Amino acid sequence: MAPSLVVLTDFFAVSNRALSYAAGLAVPLHAQLVLLHVRHDGLLAPETYSSLHTWQGERQTTQALQQLAAEQPVPAEVDISGELLPEAVAAAVRQHQPLLLVLGQPGASTVPPEEITATALELLRHVPYPLLVVPTVGWDVFPPRRFLLALDGQPFRLFPQPDVLRQLLAATAGTLAAVQVAGAEAASADPGAVLETIRVNSLVDELPVGKVYTVAQSNVAEGILQEASRQAADVVVVVARRHSLLGSLFHHSVTAQLLRECPVPVLLLPAED
């Protein structure tokens, strides 16, 4: 059975670049697409377009999504849900067992970037599954070939999930480097600890110690962005820890800042701790 990518698709999917990005990834992955549309979500179906919630509007939306699916370079199907977003995504994961979820800026340009960040974090809380967040603009290199994995060297355990990073590297003939951001202790940072967390979680087959970079920066997100720029990374991969997602200040977390400011797609791998 071919792997699938579930793309969260809004009413204006034709202008959603995340779908184009997912389709481009699906080709080398030999994957199919699932266009998941959630009727009553504030992000994917804004109240300002409530006229589309009529019977006729829903029919037109279904037809438009089916036409969009037919235009993709790989097999694609439409999945329309009347559930709330977390429940709809959880059901799609159970049904399709995708390689990853894809979320991008909707076609409605009035949606603030903070809502995309909030949606991504909400999904990770309720549906801990690999999530690729695609910015509206900024990425030009395709397929992505330079992946940067951000780790802190502390132990973690990923949720049971597809071997997404390894498959992406193989499909795109990509390269991987890792970055560890440290403050005043940067000189004593241990690349071996980063390599050990990679090994324990079987993220990749092997990563040379020379591919682990340390950045001296008090702000972790800014350090990651700095290294991503220096390496001209095409995708930033982040292990999203639950304690930072569930904390009362989660919107100030590294994950949230990266989603707001990173100019290239961010792949979030949820960890159990």
Side-chain angles (χ1 to χ4, degrees):
M1 182 177 178
S4 63
L5 309 180
V6 170
V7 187
L8 278 71
T9 312
D10 70 354
F11 275 118
F12 301 90
V14 70
S15 61
N16 190 335
R17 294 186 74 193
L19 177 57
S20 298
Y21 194 91
L25 277 182
V27 173
L29 285 168
H30 304 290
Q32 59 188 12
L33 296 176
V34 177
L35 279 58
L36 175 61
H37 174 67
V38 183
R39 287 194 182 102
H40 305 299
D41 180 69
L43 176 65
L44 303 182
E47 291 182 3
T48 49
Y49 303 101
S50 57
S51 61
L52 296 176
H53 287 302
T54 63
W55 178 85
Q56 183 177 5
E58 292 288 0
R59 182 180 179 185
Q60 291 174 347
T61 298
T62 300
Q63 291 174 342
L65 289 172
Q66 289 173 341
Q67 178 62 35
L68 192 63
E71 295 170 354
Q72 300 308 307
V74 298
E77 64 178 280
V78 175
D79 185 348
I80 298 179
S81 175
E83 300 292 334
L84 296 177
L85 185 62
E87 288 78 10
V89 173
V93 167
R94 289 192 299 270
Q95 179 180 350
H96 303 287
Q97 295 294 302
L99 184 62
L100 52 81
L101 308 170
V102 183
L103 173 68
Q105 178 76 34
S109 58
T110 56
V111 176
E114 291 77 12
E115 190 161 346
I116 306 298
T117 299
T119 299
L121 295 176
E122 184 76 4
L123 283 177
L124 288 178
R125 284 193 189 96
H126 297 283
V127 191
Y129 209 78
L131 174 65
L132 181 68
V133 182
V134 181
T136 307
V137 297
W139 50 268
D140 299 306
V141 177
F142 204 88
R145 299 196 186 279
R146 292 183 293 272
F147 292 76
L148 180 64
L149 174 62
L151 294 170
D152 59 11
Q154 298 301 312
F156 65 89
R157 180 71 62 180
L158 293 176
F159 275 92
Q161 55 196 343
D163 197 7
V164 57
L165 182 55
R166 197 188 307 265
Q167 291 192 49
L168 283 172
L169 290 170
T172 62
T175 61
L176 178 69
V179 59
Q180 178 181 20
V181 179
E185 300 81 17
S188 59
D190 181 14
V194 171
L195 291 174
E196 178 62 13
T197 60
I198 292 174
R199 184 194 67 78
V200 168
N201 288 276
S202 300
L203 284 170
V204 292
D205 291 330
E206 185 178 1
L207 186 67
V209 67
K211 286 293 185 179
V212 179
Y213 300 89
T214 301
V215 174
Q217 170 63 258
S218 57
N219 184 298
V220 175
E222 290 180 5
I224 295 170
L225 293 171
Q226 174 184 323
E227 186 63 19
S229 176
R230 188 186 73 82
Q231 294 196 27
D234 302 322
V235 175
V236 173
V237 184
V238 179
V239 172
R241 297 177 182 274
R242 287 184 65 81
H243 68 256
S244 65
L245 296 173
L246 296 173
S248 59
L249 297 178
F250 71 87
H251 54 286
H252 292 308
S253 72
V254 173
T255 303
Q257 186 177 349
L258 283 173
L259 293 181
R260 290 194 306 268
E261 301 178 13
C262 190
V264 298
V266 177
L267 174 60
L268 300 171
L269 303 179
E272 294 181 348
D273 48 8

